[in-house]
Amino acid sequence: MAIEKSVKEEYLNSLTQNYMDKLFYFSLKKTGNSFEAENLAQDILFNVITSLERGNKPEIFEAWIWGIARNRYNVWARNKNNRNELFAKSDISDYEISDNTVNTENKVIDSEDLNLLRRELAFVSSEYRNIVVAYYIEDRKTKDIAVSLKLSESTVKSKLFRARKILKEGMNMSREFGIRSYKPENVDFAASGSQPSGLPWKAVQRSLPKNILLELDNNPLTLEQLAVECGVAMPYMEEEVKLLLDATLLKKIGNKYVTNIFIASKECQYEIWKAQREHSKERSRMIDTIVSDLLARFRELGIVKNNMSDNDLKWWAVIFAVDCFVQSLDVYDIYYPEKRANGETWGFMGFELYDVPEKTPMGHNGNGSENAMFWAYKIGDDTLNLWDRAGEMNYTHTLFFADVLKNNRNYSNFSESEKAVWKGIENRFAHLDENGNIVSDILVLAGDTKQKCIDILQSHPLAQKLTESFKSAFDDTIKILKKYSHPVLEKQLTYCASMVILNTRMMTVHDEIVADKLIVPENPEKSTIAMWIEYK
C-alpha cells in the first residue's frame, strides 16, 4: 500500500531532525574516516529517502532506518575490501601523487584509495614513514634516501617492502578512534624530592601528555595503538612519547610503552581511603592526647616567640605528630630510591579525578638552604580556606629572617637593602616590638630543637601503640597499590604508599575539628598556623 503524503512528510521530518547526526556518527565509527563517513551517511540517507519516495511504509521507523544503515555499511565494506584486494596485488606506486599531469593528479586526489593511504601514513612509525614519503611522494631514488638517512640501499628497499605490507594491512582496517580522541581526561599529580630542572611538572602541563599517561597506565600499547586511541597522528605522537620517555614518566617494553609512574584510579583511591579511615578516629584520639599532654613541653623548648594560643600551636603539633609517627616506620620512604636520567632524585605519582568522600590532600612546602628553611603545611581542604594563609617565604626572606633571629638583630641596624627585604616579612611572618626587636609570628626551631620535639613525642606512653596502628594502615595501603599496579612499578610502591599514607594528616585534622579540639582561625587568609622556620 502506498504511503500517504502526510505520513511520508512526517517520516522525512523525523529523519532530518532525529537521525542525521546519529547516522553520521554511526558511519564515522564504522569507517574511522570523516571523508568516508560523510559518503556512507549520504548513501544511507539517499536509500532511506528513495525507499520512502517509492511508497514503502515501515512498521517501525527507527528499526527500519538502522536496518538500511547496516545494509549500506555491508555494501561499503565489501566494495572497500574489493578495492583493497586490487591494491594488495599492485605496487603502492600505483597511488603516488607526484605525477606531472593535471588530469592524473585530479584523478588520484579523487581516489578513495589515496584517502586511505594518507590515513595510514599517519599511523606508520617514522622508521617507515620517512622512507615511504621520500620515495613515493618526494619521488626520490632509493640510493639518495639511503645516503640522507645513513642507511644501506638494501635496508631502504627492505623497509619499503615492509612499509607496503603495513600500509596494505592498515587500509583493510576500519579505524575506530578511542574515547580520548574526543574526550580528554584530567589527572592530578603529587611530587617530592629535588626538581631543579622543572621535571616532572613541565612534562605534564598539557592535556595530551596527561592522556598518554592515562591511556598507558597499566595498559602497554604500541605507538600505533596509542595514536589511534588518542586520535593523534604518529609524527606528533612520537615526539610526545619521546618527551615522556626522556622525563622517565614512560617505559618502553619491547615495542610497547607503559606508564612509569603509579596513577591511582578512583577505585584504588577509594579503597585506600576506606582502609586508612578504618582506625583513623582511634589514632586521632591518641594523637590529641599525646599533643595535649606535651604542649607545655614544646613551649619550654622556646619554639613560640609571640603570644601564640594553644589552639594555634596545636595546629602545627597535631600535623607534626602524624609526620613523626608515620616517618618513624621502617617501611616509610618518601624519597624515590632511583635517580632519574638527568641525575635528579624525585618521586611522582598521579591521581584520577573523582568526587572523593573526604578531601585529604596536604602539602609540605619548604624554601631555603641547608642551613635555613621555611616550612608550611599546605592544608588542602578548600572549605577551610587554609591552603595559602599568609603565604610563603621565598629564598631571600628565609635566609635573611634566619640570620636576624639567630643573631638577635634589631631593626635599627638594618641596611636599606635589608629593610626592603624586611617589608616582605613584616606583619606576615613577624613584627617589631616597641624597641625595634624582631618578634617571630611563626614557630622557630633552632639547632636541634626539631629532633627534641620528635624525641618528646616518641617518649609518650601511647607512642608505641600509635606507631603500630600507622604500620597496619601502611601495610593495607601497600596491598591495595599492588592490586592496581603494573609489574614495572613494583619498586615504586613503597614510595607511593609513603605518599598516600600522608592522607592521614588531613583525616586527623578533620577529626580534631569535628571534636572541637582544633578551632579554625577567624582570619584564615592572614593566619600563620602550621608554619615554622628551622636554622642551624
Side-chain angles (χ1 to χ4, degrees), residues 130-156:
N130 294 339
I131 295 175
V132 170
V133 171
Y135 185 76
Y136 289 111
I137 297 178
E138 297 174 358
D139 201 22
R140 295 168 61 191
K141 297 183 182 299
T142 56
K143 184 177 180 180
D144 295 335
I145 299 170
V147 171
S148 64
L149 296 180
K150 298 180 181 180
L151 298 171
S152 68
E153 189 173 0
S154 61
T155 299
V156 170

Side-chain angles (χ1 to χ4, degrees), residues 4 27 32 50 80 183 200 210 213 218 246-247 254 296 304 309 356 394 425 433 452 458 514 519 522 526:
E4 296 95 348
S27 301
T50 300
K80 178 187 172 187
K183 188 182 178 183
K210 289 180 181 179
L213 293 174
N218 218 9
D246 291 344
V304 178
S309 67
V356 295
N394 62 28
I425 299 173
D433 68 11
K452 289 180 179 177
Q458 294 285 2
V514 169
I519 308 300
E522 291 184 4
K526 296 183 178 179

Side-chain angles (χ1 to χ4, degrees), residues 87 90-97 135-136 164:
F87 175 82
S90 63
D91 191 275
I92 195 172
S93 59
D94 293 341
Y95 306 96
E96 73 178 63
I97 64 172
Y135 185 76
Y136 289 111
R164 282 198 293 266

Side-chain angles (χ1 to χ4, degrees), residues 142-196:
T142 56
K143 184 177 180 180
D144 295 335
I145 299 170
V147 171
S148 64
L149 296 180
K150 298 180 181 180
L151 298 171
S152 68
E153 189 173 0
S154 61
T155 299
V156 170
K157 291 180 178 179
S158 173
K159 288 184 180 293
L160 276 172
F161 179 81
R162 173 62 180 152
R164 282 198 293 266
K165 184 177 180 183
I166 293 171
L167 287 166
K168 291 170 186 175
E169 290 174 353
M171 290 175 71
N172 281 317
M173 296 170 57
S174 292
R175 298 280 189 186
E176 292 190 15
F177 295 127
I179 293 175
R180 296 190 200 282
S181 66
Y182 60 85
K183 188 182 178 183
E185 295 185 52
N186 205 348
V187 58
D188 278 339
F189 295 102
S192 67
S194 176
Q195 307 141 13

Side-chain angles (χ1 to χ4, degrees), residues 213 216-221 245 248-263 336-338 340 348 481-496:
L213 293 174
L216 295 178
D217 179 38
N218 218 9
N219 180 40
L221 296 175
L245 274 174
T248 66
L249 300 180
L250 285 183
K251 189 178 184 70
K252 189 174 184 181
I253 305 174
N255 68 337
K256 294 187 176 183
Y257 298 84
V258 67
T259 301
N260 195 34
I261 60 168
F262 189 92
I263 299 179
Y336 185 59
E338 294 181 11
R340 300 288 169 170
F348 200 52
L481 291 172
K482 285 182 178 179
K483 174 181 173 182
Y484 288 92
S485 174
H486 190 277
V488 301
L489 302 176
E490 186 174 349
K491 291 182 179 179
Q492 297 184 31
L493 295 187
T494 299
Y495 165 80
C496 294

Side-chain angles (χ1 to χ4, degrees), residues 96 188 248 265 275 361 375 413 416-417 427 475 492:
E96 73 178 63
D188 278 339
T248 66
S265 66
W375 291 104
N413 295 322
E416 290 305 312
S417 61
N427 297 326
D475 291 343
Q492 297 184 31

